[in-house]
Amino acid sequence: MKSAVRTLIHFCIIACGIFLILHRRVISAWITGEPMPEPPEWHKKFLCCGKKEEE
């Protein structure tokens, strides 16, 4: 059981590290108050946050 918990903790630490590396420009813009960087094309295609409403 201790081995499974230790493995899960290591996995979570690695996942958080990858998240921080991938989102470093967004985190930096948020901290400094600069405009958010443009998301990549694949992000716009698959996630709703980049889609603009048609008027």
Side-chain angles (χ1 to χ4, degrees):
M1 184 67 177
K2 285 184 180 182
S3 176
V5 171
R6 186 174 298 158
T7 302
L8 181 62
I9 291 172
H10 286 150
F11 174 77
C12 288
I13 290 171
I14 291 169
C16 286
I18 291 171
F19 176 84
L20 291 173
I21 290 169
L22 291 176
H23 292 90
R24 65 187 180 274
R25 294 185 308 147
V26 174
I27 295 168
S28 174
W30 180 70
I31 290 172
T32 59
E34 295 176 1
M36 290 292 168
E38 188 71 23
E41 290 301 318
W42 68 266
H43 207 284
K44 293 177 189 176
K45 187 187 307 182
F46 292 110
L47 300 174
C48 63
C49 61
K51 294 181 182 174
K52 306 257 184 200
E53 290 185 21
E54 303 272 338
E55 292 187 30

